Amino acid sequence: MKLQLSLEYTLGGGHLRPFLEGLAKGNACAAQCTGCGRVTFPPERVCITRKKQCQAQKSKWLPLSGQGEIVFSTRSMAGAFALVQFDGADNRAVCRIGNPELTGVRATLVASGEERPAMTITPLEEPD
Amino acid sequence: MVIVAGTGMTAFNRRKDGSGFRDWAISAFETALDRSGFERLDIDALVVASESDFFSLQLNPASVLVEDLGLTGIAHQRVEGGGASGQLAVHAGVSLIRAGLARRVAVVGFEASASMLDTAAVTRLYGYSFDAWTDGMTGVSATALYALSARSFMARTGVTSDDFAHVVVQNRCNACGNPDAHLPIEHRLEDILASPVVSDPYRRLDCSPLSDGASAVILAHPDAVPGARRKAARVVGIGAASDRVRLGDRLDPGFFTAKRRAAERAYTMAEIDRPAEQVNLAELYDAYSGAQLQAIEALGLSDNFLYDHRNGVFKPSGRLPVNLSGGLLGQGAPVGATGIAQVIACARQIEGQYHPKLQLDQPPRIAIADTHGGVATSCAVTVLKASAP
């Protein structure tokens, strides 16, 4: 038997909407906990600090520069990906490397478009 | 304490015979039931493990299996926890018995990971098994996330790609004694290191296969077991835990924190305080070669895991044999069936009834099965022990 299934989802961004809208345009919209000030990008819904659990459920949106440092990276058949420490964020983010042919430890967030807002970076070439 | 009264599994492989997951589940269940000494009417609950309805195209699979297995009328449920589904289902069965809600529970796991969808589709779906809204939207694959975790692990511990390759060689060599294994292959180290890069540092041969198959155990309260099976292996500890779902939210993305917590809970229940000395056999979740070493570290199975790995401690002849079944790398990985198959390997080894080429001369007294979903996000550990002589 052969059966083909084609599915089209409509996804609601919910509390992540400002974050997702920012990604579409290449802006880093982080969440800052109103309880302890911890900044997360991608945002956490509940504040869980690494040393103790703040557990605050309220945060405000905070724009970051969108630049950061590649901590670890991997080149795969599906593209290149990195764990990135964005400037001003207290957590790290898994990002697609948009221009894997470029090298550099520093990178910047780039616009990924409204159809599929995703954390995408491009490395910043090191100055000679 | 709960007795593993019966065990059964199909071969793990890529089916080309036109059979389906319902056939495999029946086969595994029939074998387990036969070995348990029970009749169908003795079973009073069914727990089904399956990771994804996308693979089987069957929502609520427990509802069709309870009928296919001839168990209509009893309580049934489905357990899902990603890669940990099978072992979490065992935990659910143990919990039903410990809570007094059932006396004999059939736990059946299956997955149609290999033959029903093409590899590209399965790989794409797995990309949504992490945080689909953040990491998943980047198009990252499971292999790439494991690779990032491995990079962190390697940077902290000094583990090398050669160490990973030795895991593959050993596990697939072990699988050569397992007639149910998907990949019984005698690799050379250079074969692993020369295979194509999938997501560096992982190469194709570092990755476990997508498999079809099913497995089943019959769990029972000690008072509800026929005399001949009262000396069967027993579950003496279960533990589960969760980690931050996104690697970037973890303090050390290369350390399996939830696995450590799950193990501590299972060890406490089993009254194990020196796992590196007390555990005699381990079936670990080696979805990728490096994950086996990460597991050994997190489970506390060695005071110096890298030294022990390089000195043969985890080989079949070593102090603590690991993945004699071949693990996921060798035996294969039909996800819902995987954790149950690990428990089967432990139980049969303890009873001295494992595959003859792999059975330890001195059957282990204590064995552990370790499974996880995500990159060790949903972790489950089970401790099995031999009955008192």
Side-chain angles (χ1 to χ4, degrees):
Chain A
M1 289 187 291
K2 284 283 184 186
L3 185 66
Q4 194 169 26
L5 197 62
S6 175
L7 304 172
E8 185 172 309
Y9 292 89
T10 301
L11 306 176
H15 85 289
L16 288 175
R17 204 166 144 188
F19 163 74
L20 297 170
E21 288 174 352
L23 292 182
K25 297 173 185 168
N27 300 326
C29 188
Q32 183 171 34
C33 173
T34 54
C36 68
R38 175 175 158 79
V39 175
T40 53
F41 182 79
E44 293 175 347
R45 186 126 193 178
V46 176
C47 181
I48 303 172
T49 64
R50 285 171 179 160
K51 291 181 179 173
K52 60 177 183 176
Q53 294 195 350
C54 167
Q55 297 287 4
Q57 294 185 39
K58 289 188 177 175
S59 59
K60 61 182 181 183
W61 295 106
L62 181 73
L64 301 181
S65 69
Q67 292 200 5
E69 190 167 299
I70 295 173
V71 183
F72 297 110
S73 64
T74 181
R75 313 263 156 172
S76 79
M77 292 173 169
F81 298 90
L83 203 55
V84 178
Q85 178 77 59
F86 283 96
D87 298 344
D90 291 310
N91 61 346
R92 294 169 178 169
V94 170
C95 298
R96 173 180 283 276
I97 302 176
N99 300 85
E101 69 280 6
L102 301 179
T103 58
V105 175
R106 299 285 299 169
T108 188
L109 196 70
V110 296
S112 51
E114 290 180 3
E115 192 170 319
R116 190 180 173 123
M119 290 174 289
T120 308
I121 56 166
T122 187
L124 298 169
E125 296 274 34
E126 307 283 339
D128 293 330
Chain B
M1 174 253 288
V2 167
I3 290 182
V4 183
T7 58
M9 63 182 282
T10 67
F12 288 178
N13 53 30
R14 181 182 294 271
R15 294 292 196 283
K16 297 173 181 171
D17 59 0
S19 62
F21 76 88
R22 294 164 73 160
D23 305 307
W24 316 332
I26 290 170
S27 172
F29 170 74
E30 296 282 1
T31 304
L33 188 68
D34 184 55
R35 286 178 177 235
S36 73
F38 292 132
E39 303 291 335
R40 272 185 172 71
L41 289 174
D42 295 325
I43 306 299
D44 45 22
L46 169 68
V47 182
V48 169
S50 168
E51 183 184 30
S52 178
D53 302 342
F54 283 107
F55 301 163
S56 61
L57 207 59
Q58 175 63 64
L59 279 69
N60 194 5
S63 69
V64 294
L65 289 185
V66 74
E67 186 166 309
D68 282 356
L69 302 179
L71 299 172
T72 300
I74 67 169
H76 64 283
Q77 60 177 286
R78 183 257 191 92
V79 171
E80 191 274 314
S85 298
Q87 196 148 168
L88 289 171
V90 171
H91 288 194
V94 169
S95 300
L96 285 170
I97 292 169
R98 285 172 60 94
L101 297 172
R103 287 170 63 74
R104 305 175 194 94
V105 179
V107 182
V108 179
F110 73 88
E111 211 72 56
S113 315
S115 62
M116 288 182 63
L117 285 174
D118 63 48
T119 302
V122 173
T123 302
R124 195 171 165 201
L125 286 168
Y126 270 131
Y128 294 101
S129 64
F130 304 90
D131 185 336
W133 296 89
T134 54
D135 296 358
M137 286 297 168
T138 67
V140 70
S141 64
T143 309
L145 286 172
Y146 271 96
L148 290 172
S149 175
R151 283 263 182 247
S152 177
F153 177 60
M154 295 166 93
R156 174 172 55 80
T157 63
V159 169
T160 66
S161 291
D162 272 20
D163 293 313
F164 289 179
H166 278 287
V167 170
V168 182
V169 169
Q170 185 61 61
N171 289 6
R172 297 226 168 100
C173 177
N174 293 349
C176 291
N178 179 352
D180 295 327
H182 192 162
L183 295 178
I185 303 170
E186 291 193 0
H187 286 305
R188 298 168 304 162
L189 197 64
E190 51 267 36
D191 297 334
I192 316 301
L193 297 172
S195 64
V197 173
V198 177
S199 192
D200 61 343
Y202 285 133
R203 296 174 177 275
R204 195 182 71 198
L205 295 180
D206 285 300
C207 309
S208 59
L210 298 169
S211 311
D212 296 323
S215 56
V217 293
I218 309 293
L219 303 174
H221 189 282
D223 295 341
V225 177
R229 297 299 295 151
R230 283 194 189 136
K231 293 294 183 184
R234 47 202 59 203
V235 175
V236 293
I238 57 174
S242 53
D243 201 347
R244 305 298 302 275
V245 67
R246 297 190 302 236
L247 282 183
D249 288 335
R250 300 181 186 180
L251 186 61
D252 178 355
F255 184 76
F256 288 170
T257 303
K259 199 176 287 280
R260 168 66 57 89
R261 288 188 182 131
E264 287 172 348
R265 289 166 184 165
Y267 294 155
T268 298
M269 187 184 292
E271 299 181 342
I272 290 173
D273 54 6
R274 303 182 315 282
E277 299 170 32
Q278 293 171 281
V279 175
N280 312 124
L281 172 74
E283 285 288 322
L284 307 183
Y285 198 77
D286 56 331
Y288 296 88
S289 54
Q292 177 163 311
L293 299 179
Q294 290 174 282
I296 291 170
E297 178 192 43
L299 294 165
L301 296 177
S302 167
D303 296 329
N304 187 338
F305 77 89
L306 188 51
Y307 177 86
D308 283 351
H309 171 60
R310 290 174 178 173
N311 286 277
V313 167
F314 310 120
K315 290 187 172 185
S317 58
R319 173 179 58 76
L320 173 51
V322 168
N323 282 335
L324 283 178
S325 69
L328 280 69
L329 285 165
Q331 180 167 253
V335 184
T338 301
I340 298 169
Q342 291 176 312
V343 168
I344 291 172
C346 292
R348 289 187 183 174
Q349 278 282 358
I350 285 172
E351 291 186 43
Q353 300 294 319
Y354 200 53
H355 304 300
K357 289 181 181 172
L358 297 170
Q359 175 63 52
L360 293 169
D361 293 338
Q362 179 68 40
R365 265 194 62 70
I366 295 177
I368 66 165
D370 145 71
T371 319
H372 69 244
V375 185
T377 305
S378 313
C379 294
V381 174
T382 303
V383 181
L384 292 99
K385 192 173 182 181
S387 296

